[in-house]
Amino acid sequence: MSVRVARAARAWARSVSGRRGSSNWPRPPPAAVDVAALLREATAADGGSRDAEAAAGRREPGQCSVLLFPGQGSQVVGMGRGLLRYPRVRELYDAARRVLGYDLLELSLRGPQEALDRTVHCQPAVFVASLAAVEKLHHLQPAVIENCVAAAGFSVGEFAALVFAGAMEFSEGLYAVKVRAEAMQEASEAAPSGMLSVLGQRQSRFAVACLEAQEHCRTRGIESPVCEVSSYLFPDCRVISGHLEALQFLQKNSSKYHFRRTKMLPVSGGFHTSLMEPAVEPLAQVLKAIDVKKPLVSVHSNVDGNKYMHARHIQKLLLRQLVSPVKWEQTMHAIYERKKGTAFPQTFEVGPGKQLGTILKSCNLQAWRSYSHVEVLETDEDPEQPL
């Protein structure tokens, strides 16, 4: 282990009690995790953020790492059980209890699944489990954190990526996720809506399908029907969100639009569409009160796939994300595009499930060959062995 990594690891452990004084959100206890401290120390060791970026550019590409944070839909009862042996993970869940007002660890470990699947619960649960997985990764392979050059999160996972990168504190980020989840749950209850995963092919007509589904809804008396592409996953694979009537129409007529397979997702609403407009203002009020910083490593936005440039950029795009499609395929291209023959970074999916790894395999097979998943369920693995 390098001197720099050792210094950073010590800084991570001791810096958690030094919090920003401007925040009014409930505080984690003194021993709770601050997942950005290692990055802050590494940046200081390089002589500032600009020097740190230059140093990252001088590293061999194969020595760098990328962290991917999953989103809603990856939750499963039992997640977190495989993380409790690692330092400060229980304190992290204790902090979450104080912010949320209920025992998130108990719900994550024992369910029931129906309760965990509710938007108001699963978004905070995935957020906390992902950051707890970062603790495991730091414990087993601290150099991965030091050498991280980019992070991205799917939907609510973007908040976890921003907390990891030091753009906001854990309690602030979790409170924002709590308000976001509650507002999205309320918005989804205004009309029967959902999300449909669609595996298409080159000749699939996604835009035409959405327009004709909207017209079908109008014939059924639905005013201002919504049916929109809400996620770009990988080539020829989309998620379409909107009124349930529209999604059912697409399933019945899938062959007409050259869809190979369709599947309803286990979520409660038509997320990342105009149906979520009522959720924007509650989240905006929270983000105004949060001391958002420029990330210490590149974090890519769901809205356009590009990395955030400054704090105001983060606040603006997190709001747009609620009502805009998740451009995950474009994000994968932005992170992994490189000259032929250039090595790919190590990629770690931190959080429940391996969905992002599966998507990466379909977007960029060469990048996927350096992919690993940080397990959050109980396994028979040796806890002291590298991933």
Side-chain angles (χ1 to χ4, degrees), residues 140-371:
L140 297 179
Q141 295 181 248
V144 169
I145 306 299
E146 179 199 8
N147 294 324
C148 182
V149 294
F154 195 100
S155 191
V156 70
E158 190 168 324
F159 285 81
L162 288 165
V163 169
F164 162 75
M168 59 182 75
E169 298 289 353
F170 170 79
S171 292
E172 295 172 336
L174 179 55
Y175 189 80
V177 167
K178 175 181 183 289
V179 171
R180 177 185 188 269
E182 291 170 348
M184 291 174 70
Q185 179 78 47
E186 184 174 352
S188 69
E189 292 169 355
S193 58
M195 304 180 77
L196 181 72
S197 175
V198 179
L199 179 61
Q201 47 195 327
R202 188 165 297 179
Q203 63 266 40
S204 295
R205 301 187 296 160
F206 292 100
V208 171
C210 289
L211 288 174
E212 293 188 358
Q214 292 173 22
E215 186 58 37
H216 166 77
C217 287
R218 292 188 185 94
T219 66
R220 296 299 180 94
I222 299 176
E223 298 182 4
S224 303
V226 173
C227 184
E228 307 167 5
V229 172
S230 59
S231 298
Y232 295 83
L233 300 181
F234 54 86
D236 300 323
C237 187
R238 308 281 186 269
V239 175
I240 297 176
S241 299
H243 284 91
L244 278 181
E245 183 69 35
L247 303 183
Q248 291 165 358
F249 171 85
L250 293 181
Q251 287 188 295
K252 291 176 183 177
N253 295 276
S254 60
S255 60
K256 176 182 178 180
Y257 304 113
H258 304 286
F259 296 161
R260 293 164 56 192
R261 187 167 67 246
T262 62
K263 180 182 179 182
M264 291 296 298
L265 299 181
V267 297
S268 61
F271 303 143
H272 299 289
T273 70
S274 55
L275 289 173
M276 292 296 108
E277 190 65 42
V280 172
E281 184 57 27
L283 180 59
Q285 293 302 317
V286 173
L287 292 178
K288 285 179 183 177
I290 289 179
D291 181 20
V292 179
K293 302 288 188 183
K294 182 180 178 180
L296 294 167
V297 298
S298 296
V299 176
H300 290 253
S301 167
N302 286 181
V303 172
D304 55 18
N306 297 325
K307 60 185 178 182
Y308 286 112
M309 302 308 296
H310 49 74
R312 291 192 304 276
H313 197 210
I314 294 172
Q315 293 169 315
K316 178 181 178 180
L317 292 190
L318 284 179
L319 298 177
R320 282 182 55 191
Q321 188 221 70
L322 283 172
V323 294
S324 302
V326 174
K327 295 187 176 179
W328 193 255
E329 179 184 348
Q330 295 86 332
T331 299
M332 294 299 93
H333 292 318
I335 291 176
Y336 295 104
E337 185 177 13
R338 59 202 59 235
K339 294 180 181 179
K340 187 176 181 179
T342 304
F344 285 90
Q346 299 178 76
T347 296
F348 295 86
E349 183 170 357
V350 282
K354 300 180 182 179
Q355 294 92 331
L356 300 185
T358 300
I359 294 173
L360 177 60
K361 185 177 183 180
S362 297
C363 287
N364 192 317
L365 182 60
Q366 290 300 110
W368 173 80
R369 296 188 193 283
S370 299
Y371 162 89

Side-chain angles (χ1 to χ4, degrees), residues 107-118:
L107 179 61
S108 297
L109 295 181
R110 297 180 174 83
Q113 186 70 48
E114 302 79 43
L116 185 61
D117 284 343
R118 294 191 66 217

Side-chain angles (χ1 to χ4, degrees), residues 54-68:
R58 290 192 297 269
R59 294 190 196 112
E60 291 297 323
Q63 295 177 345
C64 298
S65 58
V66 173
L67 266 58
L68 302 180

